[in-house]
Amino acid sequence: MNYRYQMSSISFGGPLTPVVKKIILTCVGVFVVQLVAEDPMIQYFSLIPEAVLGNFYLWQPFTYMFLHGGIFHLLFNMLALFMFGCEMERHWGSQRFLRYYLVTGIGAGLCVFFIPSTYHIPTIGASGAIYGVLLAYGMTFPDRIIYMYMIFPLQARYFVMIIGGIAFLSSLSTANTGISNIAHLGGMVFGYLYLRVKPGNLLYPIKGAYYKWKLRRAKKKFMVYLNKKERDRDKNHMIH
């Protein structure tokens, strides 16, 4: 009975957790600065692939996720972060949550580079990282109830499938809607890889190739040593 209640319970974030609080304060603070100096902030700290590749603004895949395009953009992102991020931080711990948030946010930004037509267009917002948090929530608490559009009750697993499907289909469209659907999808993809693929598995082929190279090198040195010994022995025999 307790198990059934726990798995189908409804959650709304709970108390504000340390990392989520710092992210929200940072985003709000940056937004205030944007209101004062919008153009320079967008130029230097949004994600513009053309600037990253041409001017080496290598910080932009990190800084873009703290900028927002308006008060409602900021509010909706921070509300979603509060609702789902707080519980994930309590479940994982602050360090792992922050690492996951940054990986999915930066990964979402890197996916923007796959769309050459947007190379000169600034991308801003925490949505990519938040889509990653939504994916993690759905995988961790699949039976929790989420009200889609505040009306339709869905289990978290189906909610994540639906928003993932929408992001995927939207990313296939060539229409300029002002929304970076590829970043949304990228946040979920990087989140899934982070949760499902162990770092050791990703490095295994590299480690394997390195150890094979070392083995070949050691064999080569050993053969050189043996050949030298044989030459020295043959030379000594000739002298005697």
Side-chain angles (χ1 to χ4, degrees):
M1 193 68 182
N2 290 337
Y3 176 81
R4 182 182 180 86
Y5 173 77
Q6 181 184 1
M7 296 300 290
S8 61
S9 62
I10 302 171
S11 175
F12 192 77
L16 198 59
T17 50
V19 169
V20 170
K21 180 180 179 180
K22 290 176 182 176
I23 293 173
I24 291 175
L25 289 176
T26 301
C27 289
V28 171
V30 170
F31 183 71
V32 172
V33 177
Q34 277 184 256
L35 296 177
V36 178
E38 183 173 359
D39 289 341
M41 289 290 289
I42 297 298
Q43 180 182 354
Y44 290 106
F45 298 107
S46 67
L47 176 57
I48 309 173
E50 197 172 59
V52 175
L53 299 175
N55 300 330
F56 299 103
Y57 290 177
L58 302 180
W59 58 85
Q60 289 190 351
F62 169 76
T63 57
Y64 87 99
M65 69 180 87
F66 299 102
L67 279 67
H68 288 84
I71 187 65
F72 288 107
H73 186 205
L74 175 68
L75 287 176
F76 280 122
N77 275 350
M78 296 304 99
L79 178 62
L81 178 61
F82 165 69
M83 290 175 62
F84 302 103
C86 288
E87 187 149 14
M88 290 310 305
E89 184 178 349
R90 282 192 293 271
H91 181 73
W92 278 345
S94 295
Q95 185 176 2
R96 184 183 179 191
F97 175 78
L98 178 60
R99 185 166 57 245
Y100 177 84
Y101 184 87
L102 294 178
V103 166
T104 53
I106 294 172
L110 294 179
C111 289
V112 176
F113 288 79
F114 292 122
I115 311 295
S117 61
T118 64
Y119 268 30
H120 63 286
I121 300 175
T123 297
I124 56 177
S127 300
I130 290 171
Y131 266 66
V133 171
L134 289 173
L135 175 85
Y137 188 92
M139 293 176 66
T140 307
F141 308 107
D143 296 316
R144 291 283 178 86
I145 300 300
I146 297 174
Y147 281 85
M148 191 168 187
Y149 303 122
M150 303 296 179
I151 300 174
F152 306 106
L154 289 173
Q155 287 184 335
R157 71 180 82 193
Y158 301 121
F159 175 77
V160 168
M161 290 179 187
I162 291 172
I163 63 170
I166 293 173
F168 174 72
L169 294 175
S170 300
S171 67
L172 300 177
S173 173
T174 57
N176 184 12
T177 62
I179 299 173
S180 183
N181 294 295
I182 190 67
H184 296 171
L185 183 63
M188 300 185 82
V189 169
F190 271 81
Y192 182 83
L193 292 175
Y194 182 91
L195 295 175
R196 288 301 191 206
V197 180
K198 295 181 179 179
N201 292 343
L202 291 175
L203 295 176
Y204 181 77
I206 299 174
K207 288 181 178 179
Y210 173 70
Y211 288 134
K212 286 180 181 178
W213 174 78
K214 286 191 68 175
L215 181 61
R216 287 196 300 268
R217 188 179 178 187
K219 285 181 178 179
K220 186 176 180 180
K221 287 184 176 180
F222 184 67
M223 292 303 297
V224 170
Y225 172 77
L226 285 180
N227 291 334
K228 183 177 182 300
K229 292 289 288 184
E230 288 180 359
R231 286 196 300 269
D232 291 343
R233 186 173 62 249
D234 293 342
K235 184 178 179 180
N236 291 331
H237 288 166
M238 290 176 64
I239 291 176
H240 290 303

